[in-house]
Amino acid sequence: MTNRTRRLLFIFIYGAALIVLLNYQPIHHYISTIKNVHVVTGDRNENEKARLRAQIEKWREGREEEPIDAVVDQTWKAIPGYNGRVVDVEESLNKMLAAGVSSPDLLVYKEVPPSVSLEQLGAQPIYRGNPNKPAISFMINVAWGNEYLDSMLNTLDKHKVKTTFFLDGSWVKRYPEEAKKIMARGHEIGNHAYSHPDMNTLGTQRIHQEISRTQDVIFKTLEVKPTLFAPPSGAFNQRVVQIADSSFQMKTILWTADTIDWQKPSPAYVINKISRKMENGVLVLMHPTSTSEASLDQLLTIAKKKGLQPTTVSEVISSRRLPSP
């Protein structure tokens, strides 16, 4: 056999072997299987998303809430609105896919504001928050009683609560360091007029003066501009409310429940009285007195047990929903 014949025979045998190898069933089957796996996996992902999206749609039922408009009530005057909520299906889906867990606890919500806001009601006094919002405020009007402030601030810190202190302007002038202490603890600051007058008896110029002087001294001392005004002793008329609103862009704040702590009742009396009135949206009036100092800790504890979140007045009267615990 010549060399040329051998080479041709080798090429023939090698080519035949290659053809057999490429058409060998196990290899062909392996390549086909790999291709099918990718297709099946993609289908499975889409099927899982569709299944999960359908489950989220079911979970929406009974969990979404319509917003509530702000209204003027015959008794409580301006009552703030309350945001509704809807499930964000796509964000909920993405969150569950990322977590690898499907649960109604992982639903993502969007807030829906009411059609009528508190601001749209005009100049109206405010006595409470929306009765659907599980928030309460133990607001503290300060014109005297420095000796009880530290203890009350410590109690608020103990409960990790921020509230609203309405400060008398002349008190801030006399005790700027005490005012700074309240501010440093993270509490909201409100305006309580300058000299604790009966605002209901004042003329227009004097009303402006009482509010303006207090705004000025608070800003000079604390560098904040209050947006809430609490008339001393709860004495006011529509002119006071209108001036606070139009001239100072301030809401006039009254209260839902009064501790009458200035009359020096027993702490037990105050605790019993106020605990019976604790409900969504309530504003509780206090002062830095011995009675409130002795009752504040238990009042905060009772409020939390009732499912209420003690917070600032601004938060209570806001339409925002409280963050989930």
Side-chain angles (χ1 to χ4, degrees):
M1 184 180 296
T2 66
N3 290 337
R4 182 174 181 277
T5 302
R6 288 193 186 95
R7 283 197 301 271
L8 290 173
L9 181 60
F10 176 79
I11 291 172
F12 174 79
I13 294 172
Y14 179 80
L18 183 61
I19 290 171
V20 172
L21 182 62
L22 291 174
N23 288 278
Y24 189 50
Q25 183 61 27
I27 293 175
H28 178 75
H29 179 71
Y30 173 75
I31 295 172
S32 176
T33 301
I34 290 296
K35 291 180 180 179
N36 289 336
V37 165
H38 285 294
V39 171
V40 171
T41 301
D43 289 344
R44 185 176 298 156
N45 285 342
E46 291 304 315
N47 289 339
E48 175 62 17
K49 285 183 180 180
R51 185 200 65 78
L52 187 52
R53 186 178 283 105
Q55 181 61 68
I56 292 170
E57 291 288 349
K58 289 182 180 179
W59 281 333
R60 291 175 62 181
E61 298 176 13
R63 289 182 167 86
E64 297 187 327
E65 298 177 25
E66 293 291 326
I68 301 171
D69 287 342
V71 297
V72 178
D73 181 78
Q74 185 174 358
T75 301
W76 295 112
K77 305 306 177 185
I79 297 180
Y82 190 47
N83 288 358
R85 69 173 191 176
V86 295
V87 173
D88 188 324
V89 175
E90 291 306 312
E91 286 299 317
S92 298
L93 177 65
N94 292 336
K95 184 176 180 181
M96 292 180 196
L97 289 173
V101 177
S102 60
S103 167
D105 294 335
L106 296 180
L107 289 173
V108 177
Y109 294 93
K110 292 188 294 188
E111 294 196 22
V112 181
S115 299
V116 180
S117 68
L118 190 60
E119 288 68 28
Q120 290 172 274
L121 301 182
Q124 299 283 344
I126 302 170
Y127 287 81
R128 59 164 305 131
N130 191 281
N132 286 65
K133 185 172 183 174
I136 187 170
S137 186
F138 295 90
M139 62 187 204
I140 302 171
N141 290 355
V142 184
W144 70 88
N146 295 5
E147 63 268 39
Y148 305 109
L149 266 178
D150 282 346
S151 176
M152 295 181 76
L153 287 169
N154 290 339
T155 298
L156 290 164
D157 282 351
K158 171 187 171 183
H159 286 268
K160 299 180 180 179
V161 167
K162 306 302 179 188
T163 193
T164 304
F165 285 79
F166 289 92
L167 305 183
D168 176 279
S170 63
W171 180 87
V172 176
K173 183 77 171 179
R174 292 194 305 272
Y175 306 106
E177 296 307 313
E178 294 297 312
K180 290 176 183 178
K181 188 184 300 181
I182 296 169
M183 181 73 181
R185 306 289 267 270
H187 299 290
E188 181 178 40
I189 304 298
N191 184 315
H192 194 42
Y194 195 84
S195 58
H196 214 270
D198 181 344
M199 301 289 290
N200 189 44
T201 65
L202 304 183
T204 299
Q205 184 177 354
R206 180 70 188 283
I207 293 170
H208 273 94
Q209 184 182 52
E210 285 288 330
I211 298 175
S212 178
R213 289 184 70 188
T214 303
Q215 289 291 81
D216 291 344
V217 72
I218 287 177
F219 186 79
K220 181 179 178 180
T221 306
L222 304 177
E223 297 184 349
V224 296
K225 185 179 180 181
T227 59
L228 304 176
F229 173 65
S233 304
F236 74 98
N237 53 33
Q238 184 57 32
R239 180 168 52 184
V240 172
V241 178
Q242 187 66 52
I243 290 172
D245 177 70
S246 61
S247 298
F248 300 95
Q249 294 73 57
M250 303 177 78
K251 296 179 175 67
T252 298
I253 305 298
L254 282 303
W255 59 83
T256 326
D258 189 357
T259 61
I260 58 168
D261 52 3
W262 55 274
Q263 293 184 358
K264 299 182 180 179
S266 70
Y269 172 84
V270 169
I271 291 167
N272 180 59
K273 175 187 177 181
I274 299 302
S275 63
R276 286 187 286 108
K277 295 185 177 182
M278 286 185 189
E279 59 184 31
N280 292 355
V282 163
L283 303 178
V284 180
L285 176 62
M286 310 183 87
H287 302 84
T289 64
S290 59
T291 296
S292 284
E293 176 200 33
S295 60
L296 182 58
D297 181 76
Q298 195 165 340
L299 289 173
L300 290 169
T301 299
I302 293 170
K304 291 178 180 179
K305 287 182 178 178
K306 285 176 173 277
L308 301 171
Q309 180 175 314
T311 185
T312 63
V313 172
S314 285
E315 183 58 61
V316 172
I317 67 174
S318 165
S319 67
R320 292 186 302 265
R321 302 180 72 90
L322 295 171
S324 299

